[in-house]
Amino acid sequence: MKEERKEAHKREILAILERNARTGDKEIAKMVGLKEEEVKQIISDLEGAGVIRTYKAVINREKAGIDTVQALIDVKVSPKRSTGYDSVAERISRFPDVKSVRLVSGEYDLQVLVEGNTMKEVADFVAGKIAPLEQVRNTVTHFLMKIYKENGEIYEEEGKGERLAVTL
């Protein structure tokens, strides 16, 4: 029973940090009914075990004036017999332009988020770095036009983005 409660506390703490990584240990302790030192130890253990990978801010790039271009690249792969999709996914992951790589179901195998300064830069990256890889069979590039929600955060403010009625 004690071990179950400890796991429940871990899940609660993770949920709190996922909503707001800046929540302090003292506040978390109050929220989950533990001592501050216990919360610090649990968080330290989770970091040490690689459960908590890093702490990041969700940034509205448009409001911040960051004019980079992002694209989702669907990648069809011929998996290697010994390593499956892992070897090509790990290789793609090493490129600094790549922000995420996911194994997905459907017609394509990997979904890769790439960032660059221009559409041409992203297109050249896909054509010159991803497409030539031995295991890659096909790619489709989708440029992101606008982000409405990222990591659970809605970007549009209420009342904004409403369309006006069109009259003829």
Side-chain angles (χ1 to χ4, degrees):
M1 184 69 171
K2 186 177 181 181
E3 192 61 35
E4 288 176 16
R5 191 65 199 135
K6 188 175 181 181
E7 289 302 313
H9 283 306
K10 283 182 185 178
R11 286 191 299 276
E12 288 178 88
I13 291 169
L14 287 170
I16 292 165
L17 290 173
E18 197 167 37
R19 279 191 308 274
N20 183 357
R22 294 183 72 180
T23 307
D25 298 337
K26 191 174 188 175
E27 188 177 347
I28 293 171
K30 287 179 188 175
M31 295 167 83
V32 299
L34 292 174
K35 294 178 182 173
E36 186 177 352
E37 293 73 30
E38 292 173 307
V39 168
K40 284 181 182 181
Q41 186 59 56
I42 290 171
I43 291 172
S44 178
D45 292 347
L46 291 167
E47 290 169 343
V51 174
I52 297 175
R53 304 289 300 169
T54 189
Y55 297 91
K56 289 191 173 194
V58 177
I59 298 169
N60 184 326
R61 303 173 78 71
E62 188 176 331
K63 281 189 175 184
I66 300 171
D67 288 334
T68 56
V69 174
Q70 293 183 320
L72 289 172
I73 317 302
D74 292 330
V75 183
K76 190 177 286 193
V77 174
S78 293
K80 283 190 175 179
R81 185 169 282 208
S82 59
T83 59
Y85 299 103
D86 293 348
S87 60
V88 71
E90 288 170 9
R91 181 135 186 234
I92 291 170
S93 296
R94 289 190 204 113
F95 292 115
D97 305 43
V98 172
K99 301 303 170 194
S100 68
V101 179
R102 297 177 177 101
L103 179 63
V104 296
S105 63
E107 187 175 340
Y108 287 83
D109 305 304
L110 299 175
Q111 184 182 66
V112 180
L113 177 63
V114 174
E115 186 174 278
N117 292 314
T118 65
M119 290 176 82
K120 182 176 180 352
E121 185 178 296
V122 171
D124 289 348
F125 172 77
V126 174
K129 301 288 185 185
I130 294 180
L133 294 174
E134 182 183 336
Q135 291 176 260
V136 172
R137 295 291 161 243
N138 193 15
T139 65
V140 175
T141 302
H142 309 273
F143 286 97
L144 300 182
M145 306 303 286
K146 183 174 182 175
I147 297 173
Y148 294 95
K149 185 175 183 178
E150 185 83 26
N151 292 321
E153 292 296 317
I154 297 173
Y155 283 11
E156 287 292 318
E157 296 171 20
E158 282 190 46
K160 300 278 184 182
E162 291 179 16
R163 291 181 169 237
L164 297 175
V166 177
T167 59
L168 298 174

